[in-house]
C-alpha cells in the first residue's frame, strides 16, 4: 500500500458531499458491527434509495449484510412498488413486506374516515420489527424535512412498544453513538440525517443513482386540492367541484397516492431538478404531504406512537 506524502496543507479539502457520505458510511458500518440484526426500511423513494446506495458502498465488494423491510399501505404508486422490487433484486437482498391491507382484512385495523392509510403503517411496522427480531432499523429520514425529525437523534432508541420519547434522548458528542438497549427495545438509525433535500439530489447526480420516473417531470391527469396537484386514481378521486386536467408535474416525495401531491414542474432531468430544488423555500413534506397538515405536531405525534 502506497503512502500519500502530500503535505496536509496542499491536499484537496473534502467537499460537503464527501463529508456527508463519510459520516453516513461510518454510521452504517457502526450499526453493522454493534447490532445483531439490522434491517433497512425501503420504500423505493429517493431517501431510502440513497441509504441503500451508501450501504452498498460501505461494504463493497462484500454483499450488504442486512435485508430490506417495507410497509405496504396498499395505496402506493404502482411505479414505486415495481422499482422497489427491481432494486431489491438488483442488489440480491431479501425484501420483507408487511401489508396494511392484511390488518384491515382481519379487523386489527380500520380504515380512516379521511381515506389515508399513512398513520395505519405504525402497527404493521412494529409487528414486523418484533417478528423479524430486528434490533436496528435504518431509515431515510432527514432533519430538514420536519421539526420532529430535526430534534431526533441519529441513534433513536425505541421502547418495547416501538415508541419514541422526545424527552429521553442520548447525547451524540464527537460522533460517538450509544446503541445500548435491552431485549424488546430497538434503535432506529438515520444515516442521512444531516443531508438536505438539495444534498440528496446532488449526491444522486454525482453517484448516478437510478430513481423512479415519478421524481422527474411527466404529464399526468391531476386535480388541485389544498394547494397541491393530486393524481387521479383509485385512491385519489376528485370531488364533483374539482376539475381534472393534464399537466406536467413531478413528485418531490413519494408516499401514498391518498396523501401525496405533486408539484407543477418542467424538470425532467437531474440538472433541472437540482436547479428547481436550489431555489425552493418549502420542504418537500411541507409542500406535498397532506398527512403532515393534520396538526402542527402531526409528525411528532406519529413518531411517538412508533412511526418511521
Amino acid at each position: 500500500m502506497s503512502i500519500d506524502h502530500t503535505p496536509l496543507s496542499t491536499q484537496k479539502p473534502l467537499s460537503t458531499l464527501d463529508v456527508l457520505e463519510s459520516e453516513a458510511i461510518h454510521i452504517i458500518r457502526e450499526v453493522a458491527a454493534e447490532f445483531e440484526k439490522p434491517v433497512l426500511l425501503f420504500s423505493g423513494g429517493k431517501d431510502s434509495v440513497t441509504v441503500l446506495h451508501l450501504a452498498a458502498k460501505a461494504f463493497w465488494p462484500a454483499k450488504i449484510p442486512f435485508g430490506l423491510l417495507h410497509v405496504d399501505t396498499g395505496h402506493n404508486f404502482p411505479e414505486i412498488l415495481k422499482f422497489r422490487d427491481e432494486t431489491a433484486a438488483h442488489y440480491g437482498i431479501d425484501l420483507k413486506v408487511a401489508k396494511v391491507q392484511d390488518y384491515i382484512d382481519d379487523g386489527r385495523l380500520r380504515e380512516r374516515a379521511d381515506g389515508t392509510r399513512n398513520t395505519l403503517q405504525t402497527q404493521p411496522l412494529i409487528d414486523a420489527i418484533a417478528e423479524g427480531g430486528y434490533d436496528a432499523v435504518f431509515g431515510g429520514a432527514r432533519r430538514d424535512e420536519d421539526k420532529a425529525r430535526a430534534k431526533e437523534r441519529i441513534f433513536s432508541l425505541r421502547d418495547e412498544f416501538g415508541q419514541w420519547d422526545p424527552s429521553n434522548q442520548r447525547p451524540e458528542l464527537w460522533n460517538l453513538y450509544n446503541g445500548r438497549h435491552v431485549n424488546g427495545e430497538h434503535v432506529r438509525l438515520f444515516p442521512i440525517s444531516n443531508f438536505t433535500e438539495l444534498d440528496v439530489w446532488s449526491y444522486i447526480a454525482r453517484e448516478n443513482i437510478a430513481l423512479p420516473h415519478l421524481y422527474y417531470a411527466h404529464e399526468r391527469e391531476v386535480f388541485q386540492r389544498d394547494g397541491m396537484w393530486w393524481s387521479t386514481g383509485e385512491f385519489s378521486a376528485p370531488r364533483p367541484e374539482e376539475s381534472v386536467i393534464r399537466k406536467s408535474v413531478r413528485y418531490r416525495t413519494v408516499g401514498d397516492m391518498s396523501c401525496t401531491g405533486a408539484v407543477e414542474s418542467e424538470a425532467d432531468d437531474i440538472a433541472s431538478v437540482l436547479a428547481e430544488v436550489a431555489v425552493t423555500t418549502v420542504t418537500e413534506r411541507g409542500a406535498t404531504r397532506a398527512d403532515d397538515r393534520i396538526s402542527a405536531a402531526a409528525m411528532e405525534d406519529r413518531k411517538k406512537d412508533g412511526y418511521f
Side-chain angles (χ1 to χ4, degrees):
M1 181 178 69
S2 62
I3 299 176
D4 186 0
H5 294 286
T6 305
L8 291 177
S9 60
T10 61
Q11 288 183 8
K12 183 179 179 180
L14 294 175
S15 68
T16 298
L17 289 183
D18 290 333
V19 172
L20 291 170
E21 179 189 67
S22 178
E23 178 186 54
I25 287 176
H26 165 66
I27 292 165
I28 293 169
R29 287 173 175 168
E30 184 77 10
V31 171
E34 189 173 344
F35 292 84
E36 293 185 7
K37 194 175 181 182
V39 71
L40 168 57
L41 295 176
F42 186 74
S43 65
K46 69 180 188 307
D47 297 312
S48 61
V49 170
T50 298
V51 176
L52 180 58
H53 179 83
L54 286 160
K57 293 192 76 170
F59 302 106
W60 181 263
K63 183 180 177 180
I64 298 173
F66 43 78
L68 307 177
L69 172 63
H70 181 223
V71 180
D72 181 0
T73 64
H75 286 185
N76 296 103
F77 289 89
E79 302 97 318
I80 295 296
L81 296 181
K82 181 174 182 290
F83 181 85
R84 178 202 67 184
D85 295 341
E86 290 174 348
T87 302
H90 170 75
Y91 283 98
I93 305 178
D94 181 50
L95 170 66
K96 301 291 186 184
V97 179
K99 297 183 178 180
V100 170
Q101 188 63 52
D102 292 342
Y103 281 68
I104 294 174
D105 290 343
D106 63 20
R108 284 177 289 176
L109 289 174
R110 291 189 298 177
E111 293 276 17
R112 287 169 52 94
D114 59 10
T116 181
R117 290 186 174 180
N118 189 270
T119 56
L120 301 185
Q121 296 176 85
T122 300
Q123 193 58 51
L125 170 64
I126 294 172
D127 290 348
I129 291 171
E131 291 166 8
Y134 305 120
D135 58 348
V137 182
F138 287 106
R142 309 186 324 269
R143 289 188 171 125
D144 74 323
E145 293 179 272
D146 182 89
K147 291 178 289 186
R149 287 181 167 172
K151 70 167 70 170
E152 190 168 18
R153 300 288 193 265
I154 292 173
F155 275 46
S156 180
L157 180 68
R158 300 299 177 105
D159 65 19
E160 63 272 25
F161 303 107
Q163 298 177 335
W164 173 59
D165 182 358
S167 65
N168 182 28
Q169 299 194 78
R170 297 164 173 172
E172 293 179 344
L173 306 175
W174 309 293
N175 292 332
L176 296 176
Y177 304 107
N178 182 354
R180 287 182 295 177
H181 60 286
V182 300
N183 288 337
E185 297 177 340
H186 69 275
V187 181
R188 305 277 176 93
L189 298 314
F190 305 108
I192 62 171
S193 284
N194 292 324
F195 281 65
T196 63
E197 183 184 10
L198 183 58
D199 291 329
V200 169
W201 276 105
S202 298
Y203 189 70
I204 288 168
R206 190 184 82 171
E207 301 291 304
N208 194 29
I209 300 173
L211 289 180
H213 79 274
L214 290 176
Y215 281 106
Y216 301 99
H218 57 287
E219 283 203 352
R220 200 176 191 94
E221 287 190 347
V222 294
F223 58 93
Q224 194 166 41
R225 180 185 298 168
D226 298 329
M228 299 185 293
W229 291 105
W230 296 71
S231 176
T232 58
E234 180 182 358
F235 310 115
S236 55
R239 297 165 183 160
E241 70 276 11
E242 295 169 337
S243 301
V244 175
I245 61 175
R246 195 162 184 85
K247 182 174 285 291
S248 177
V249 298
R250 75 175 190 87
Y251 287 84
R252 291 177 63 188
T253 180
V254 178
D256 282 359
M257 294 182 69
S258 54
C259 69
T260 307
V263 294
E264 188 172 356
S265 174
E266 298 293 336
D268 58 0
D269 58 29
I270 191 71
S272 302
V273 171
L274 280 169
E276 189 175 274
V277 173
V279 297
T280 188
T281 58
V282 182
T283 69
E284 66 263 48
R285 293 196 68 95
T288 63
R289 292 296 290 268
D291 50 323
D292 289 341
R293 300 183 180 187
I294 296 174
S295 71
M299 173 65 77
E300 181 162 331
D301 291 339
R302 296 202 303 274
K303 290 178 78 66
K304 287 178 180 178
D305 290 336
Y307 184 75
F308 307 133

